[in-house]
Each structure stands twice: as C-alpha cells, then as structure tokens.
Amino acid sequence: MTIIDGKLISAQVKQELKLEVEKQKANGGKIPHLAAILVGDNGASETYVASKIKSCEEIGFKSTLIRRDSSTTEEEILEIIEQLNHDDDIDGFIVQLPLPQQINVDKVIEAIDPRKDVDGFHPINIGRMAKGLPAYISATPFGVLELIKRYNIETAGKHCVVVGRSQIVGLPMSILMQRNTYPGNCTVSLVHSKTKNLAEITRQADILIAALGKPEFITAEMVKDGAVVIDVGLTRVVDSSKKSGFALKGDVKFDEVAPKCSFITPVPGGVGLMTVAALMYNTLLSARREIY
C-alpha cells in the first residue's frame, strides 16, 4: 500500500511554477496576477484564501484580495466582477465559496469572464472540458489527475467509480476519467445519494474517487482489494482532544480502508493541497493566454 503524498507533489508543482515565473520575468514577460473575492467571515474560507495568497507569494505571482462583509449585496459583487473582467493586469480571479444566502452563486459564476475563470467553474469552461477543447479544469479534479499522473497509476481500461455528483468535483471528475488521454480511458460509473446498491458498485472499482462530503462514509466493505482510493472529502468534525476543537476528516474511513488499497490519499495531506497548486497552474496558463 502506497500513501499518495499530496504535500510532496504540491511542493513539486509549486517549485516548477516558480521556475517558470522566474524564466518569464527574465525574458520580460508578464508576472501572473491572481485576485480573490472573499465575502463574509467563514473560517474555512479565510484559511483557503490565505493559503492561496501565500502560494502566490511563494511562486512569485502578484495577488489581490478583495474583502466584503456578509451583508454585501449581489449587485456589489457583480460590479466587482465586472471591474476585474476589464482589468488587463488581472490574469485570473476566483470568488471564494460558499457565499451568503442573498447572493446567487450561479449568477456570480456566470458573470466571470471565462478567460479569467481560473477556478474552471464557468459553464463555458465545463462545456469545453467535456468536449476535450482547451479549458481551465476545476482545481480539485485537476489536482486529482496530477496525483494519478505523478504516481504513474495505470488508468486505461480500469473501472473508475466516482462517488458524488457535484458540479465542482464529481461531475467533472467523471468526464475527465473517461477522456481518451492519460489519466483517462476508464470505464466510469458516477454514483450518488439516490443510487441503489451503492456499495455493490464501489466494490467493483479499480479506482474509487470519493467526493460526497460525508466524513468516513466509505468503509472497508465498500472497497475491493488492490483498489486505488482517492479521497476528496474534507469535513471539520468536533474533536475535544484537539487544540482547535475539531479534526479534519475525509470521506474515507482511512484506518480500515488503507490496508486493502494499492494507493490511497490521506486527509489531510492529500488532494486538498493539490487544489491550490492547480489554481496556480491555471493562473500561469491564463497569463500566457494558453487556453484562450
């Protein structure tokens, strides 16, 4: 059993990006510039955005953080997006989710210029990805692909089961794993909360990708011997033994599932760290105009 080290791979990706930025700078090229819009005071969102800003500093990107309080209106956010869409110095920007209830998430995402949508959430980028055209791939699925690639995990002809159908992870993941490329060429099953005999299907998986947001949902009896298990879940669970008062749990019951696997990602230290590295990669692509 091999534990897939997201910390190691994300550090490698960031180092590669740093060298690319230094080369670009030396040749008189543009320094990539990422902006983030943070609305409200969600603790997890604060942590994620801080991590993204720190990564920009490490790699040599410019970054801009735009903060607004939780009472901000949808119109105000749409105005900020319009300004960023027309700011030639901003290569890409993200709106950190979740947003307060008064703001329509779909409306916000659709307002982002697809050329600057480095999160890969815009319907145009999702559609281009599905057709195999150049597109920004959502950061989490992109991170999963990179882990599979760098550990040389065989995918062609394998049965990949994706648990969870979110538009941010599950759905794009199922599309990416069946594409005629590497990683890809899998036979893909997408299962979700309404699937009957779910455990029966997950037991058939050569590659199991858990992305449903339910802590420790995947147990040993749901996984076959020798499977590759990718755990995308990340949920804060109350834990009085921790100084912070909570523990981070994945969708997979790691201790009992790991002994059955050929490869498995831990939580924390797995997929989560790769999402930031993938976002940085998309921002570099945007600065170079390689997608559009």
Side-chain angles (χ1 to χ4, degrees):
M1 184 267 293
T2 300
I3 294 178
I4 296 173
D5 190 342
K7 189 175 182 181
L8 173 70
I9 303 301
S10 66
Q12 286 177 4
V13 173
K14 286 180 186 176
Q15 182 59 29
E16 290 162 13
L17 291 172
K18 185 178 180 182
L19 294 174
E20 287 296 317
V21 172
E22 287 170 358
K23 201 187 301 178
Q24 204 159 293
K25 196 174 180 180
N27 294 331
K30 186 180 185 305
I31 302 303
H33 188 170
L34 175 70
I37 301 171
L38 178 61
V39 186
D41 54 3
N42 180 293
S45 293
E46 292 273 0
T47 302
Y48 296 148
V49 170
S51 170
K52 290 162 186 173
I53 299 297
K54 185 183 175 191
S55 292
C56 285
E57 290 170 9
E58 290 170 356
I59 294 165
F61 287 6
K62 289 166 69 178
S63 65
T64 298
L65 173 57
I66 300 163
R67 287 178 172 274
R68 291 294 182 270
D69 63 40
S70 56
S71 65
T72 302
T73 65
E74 186 178 283
E75 288 70 27
E76 287 175 278
I77 298 302
L78 292 174
E79 279 176 24
I80 294 167
I81 289 170
E82 188 66 13
Q83 289 166 14
L84 294 176
N85 282 342
H86 292 96
D87 186 336
D88 291 339
D89 192 52
I90 302 287
D91 297 298
F93 65 94
I94 63 159
V95 180
Q96 184 64 46
L97 304 179
L99 291 169
Q101 286 185 338
Q102 73 272 17
I103 301 172
N104 184 310
V105 175
D106 288 334
K107 203 170 177 181
V108 164
I109 289 170
E110 288 179 30
I112 298 170
D113 185 331
R115 294 170 297 182
K116 295 190 177 189
D117 168 42
V118 287
D119 253 339
F121 294 166
H122 194 285
I124 287 177
N125 277 313
I126 293 171
R128 287 173 68 98
M129 176 203 69
K131 284 180 66 66
L133 296 171
Y136 298 117
I137 294 170
S138 302
T140 301
F142 188 105
V144 171
L145 294 182
E146 202 61 28
L147 289 175
I148 289 171
K149 196 187 299 180
R150 297 200 182 216
Y151 274 83
N152 298 308
I153 294 168
E154 190 180 338
T155 59
K158 301 295 184 182
H159 185 188
C160 174
V161 176
V162 180
V163 187
R165 55 181 166 181
S166 76
Q167 292 179 27
I168 292 172
V169 184
L171 179 62
M173 203 75 251
S174 67
I175 294 167
L176 291 163
M177 291 303 285
Q178 57 79 37
R179 292 197 307 179
N180 185 17
T181 183
Y182 176 76
N185 281 310
C186 289
T187 299
V188 179
S189 298
L190 178 62
V191 299
H192 45 78
S193 59
K194 300 292 188 290
T195 301
K196 293 179 180 178
N197 304 320
L198 190 145
E200 195 178 301
I201 299 169
T202 59
R203 276 195 296 272
Q204 297 170 29
D206 301 306
I207 301 169
L208 180 63
I209 301 174
L212 71 164
K214 290 188 178 180
E216 301 189 326
F217 180 85
I218 303 293
T219 56
E221 65 266 17
M222 297 172 74
V223 180
K224 78 173 182 181
D225 289 335
V228 174
V229 174
I230 308 289
D231 189 351
V232 179
L234 187 66
T235 306
R236 289 186 177 198
V237 177
V238 175
D239 186 343
S240 57
S241 69
K242 302 279 185 183
K243 189 178 177 182
S244 62
F246 65 86
L248 294 174
K249 296 286 184 183
D251 288 348
V252 176
K253 204 162 188 178
F254 184 88
D255 291 344
E256 68 173 53
V257 172
K260 299 184 78 172
C261 300
S262 54
F263 293 89
I264 187 169
T265 60
V267 176
V271 175
L273 293 166
M274 289 300 298
T275 60
V276 177
L279 178 68
M280 300 296 124
Y281 185 84
N282 279 346
T283 304
L284 180 64
L285 292 179
S286 180
R288 290 178 169 178
R289 308 292 185 263
E290 288 192 21
I291 302 295
Y292 292 95

